[in-house]
Amino acid sequence: MDFLTLIQVLDSTVRLATPLLLACLAGLFSERAGIFDIGLEGKMLMAAFFSAAVAANTGNVWLGLLAGIASSLVLSGLHGLASITFRGNQLISGVAINFLAAGMTVLIAQDWFQQGGRTPSLFSGGRFEPINLPFADALANVPVLGPIYSELLSGHSVLVYLAFLAVPATAWVLFGTRFGLRLRAVGENPAAVDTAGVSVVGLRYAAVMICGLLCGIAGAYLATALQAGFVKDMTAGRGFIALAALIFAKWRPWHALGACLLFGLLQAVALRFQNIEIGTFVIPVQMMDALPYILTVVILAGFVGKAVPPKAGGEPYVKER
């Protein structure tokens, strides 16, 4: 592999890791507050559809982004209502959201556009365009550093840069603010937080809404930046891969970045290299495509070491009388 090919693979890694990173940070906020959310997949899918649908109808990608975020927040509100207010089973609520999104997106897409459950292709104005960083073209021919700056760091959409900036922002919010301290405490010992006069319900709803916001951006990125429109089940398990990355990262923001980049790299390698030859043995392309999902199963099976979730995770809080 030459240097330019390596840069191209890493560039694809960044693009493919972006929705995983946003969804992983979304799950991080929710689960740190004690609300398990396996409905990340459904929120991303719903946001992908509505962002593409609105962008196709209006020609304005920013309106599409807002629509995607709004649809994801609605599903987050439903999840919060079921698991926080009515103290229902959080896993069942997440599964229901995934099924709801998978069915509704295709149904509404077919009703609106009559294109077999997909939206029309998005063109300029309906998509997020790449952003060229200052002096990227001028430095392109500089050895080593030029390709890194012009090909790897430059040329991404605004949502990519937003996703990577969200990592230090998440670390600061969770570990450097009073809100973050209370959020983490709610996930560990909600009774102690309640005793201190802080609303457990309010904090958990805040975490669920932040989760919806980030999932909305992730879904919008899939449909309006990574691809040019919505197709059925376009999230392709990314929500579950994000959950695996979250467990792999042991609920820490910077580790989540590394885990998502690892999954993104596996996807990039699978797309770039088809039928890899190792001596006389040829690795089929199907094996390469399955690598991210195989790693997901390995992580969830516990082969990466013990990952201890927040102590109050998955348990509804009942206020003592």
Side-chain angles (χ1 to χ4, degrees):
M1 181 188 300
D2 58 24
F3 181 70
L4 185 57
T5 302
L6 175 62
I7 293 295
Q8 292 172 345
V9 170
L10 293 178
D11 179 69
S12 298
T13 298
V14 169
R15 298 175 193 274
L16 293 169
T18 295
L20 299 178
L21 179 58
L22 287 166
C24 188
L25 295 177
L28 177 61
F29 273 101
S30 182
E31 297 197 9
R32 277 286 189 172
I35 303 297
F36 289 164
D37 191 353
I38 62 172
L40 300 178
E41 179 89 358
K43 295 185 184 73
M44 291 172 66
L45 189 62
M46 190 71 83
F49 167 70
F50 277 101
S51 62
V54 171
N57 283 324
T58 65
N60 190 319
V61 69
W62 292 102
L63 291 178
L65 174 62
L66 291 177
I69 292 174
S71 64
S72 180
L73 287 175
V74 169
L75 292 184
S76 286
L78 290 175
H79 182 56
L81 189 66
S83 59
I84 301 173
T85 302
F86 294 113
R87 307 188 187 102
N89 187 292
Q90 297 172 10
L91 299 182
I92 293 176
S93 175
V95 171
I97 286 174
N98 288 335
F99 281 117
L100 179 67
M104 282 190 62
T105 50
V106 176
L107 181 66
I108 299 174
Q110 178 61 22
D111 182 64
W112 286 3
F113 303 106
Q114 289 83 43
Q115 295 188 12
R118 58 186 299 159
T119 63
S121 297
L122 302 177
F123 299 100
S124 180
R127 294 191 64 195
F128 283 102
E129 300 294 338
I131 297 175
N132 288 324
L133 297 180
F135 310 112
D137 294 334
L139 297 175
N141 294 324
V142 176
V144 183
L145 294 180
I148 292 176
Y149 182 73
S150 63
E151 297 289 337
L152 181 57
L153 300 181
S154 180
H156 299 288
S157 71
V158 64
L159 297 185
V160 174
Y161 299 111
L162 178 65
F164 282 85
L165 288 175
V167 177
T170 298
W172 175 74
V173 168
L174 286 178
F175 300 101
T177 67
R178 180 179 297 179
F179 171 75
L181 176 63
R182 290 174 172 175
L183 193 72
R184 289 183 288 119
V186 163
E188 297 292 339
N189 192 341
V193 175
D194 195 15
T195 303
V198 180
S199 173
V200 173
V201 171
L203 282 171
R204 286 188 165 180
Y205 263 109
V208 168
M209 290 298 108
I210 294 173
C211 175
L213 171 67
L214 293 173
C215 281
I217 299 174
Y221 171 81
L222 285 174
T224 61
L226 189 62
Q227 299 184 34
F230 173 84
V231 295
K232 178 184 177 182
D233 296 330
M234 70 180 304
T235 47
R238 286 181 173 87
F240 300 108
I241 293 177
L243 281 175
L246 181 60
I247 296 171
F248 190 19
K250 298 181 180 178
W251 295 270
R252 290 174 289 184
W254 289 105
H255 294 73
L257 173 60
C260 291
L261 287 174
L262 173 60
F263 280 106
L265 177 62
L266 291 176
Q267 291 180 339
V269 169
L271 290 173
R272 179 76 185 184
F273 301 101
Q274 308 287 319
N275 298 323
I276 297 178
E277 295 185 9
I278 301 179
T280 58
F281 179 73
V282 178
I283 301 178
V285 63
Q286 291 82 3
M287 180 64 182
M288 299 301 297
D289 290 336
L291 274 179
Y293 304 98
I294 293 173
L295 183 59
T296 301
V297 173
V298 170
I299 289 173
L300 294 178
F303 291 107
V304 296
K306 187 177 182 181
V308 181
K311 293 179 181 179
E315 297 295 329
Y317 176 65
V318 181
K319 186 179 179 69
E320 295 183 2
R321 300 294 181 184

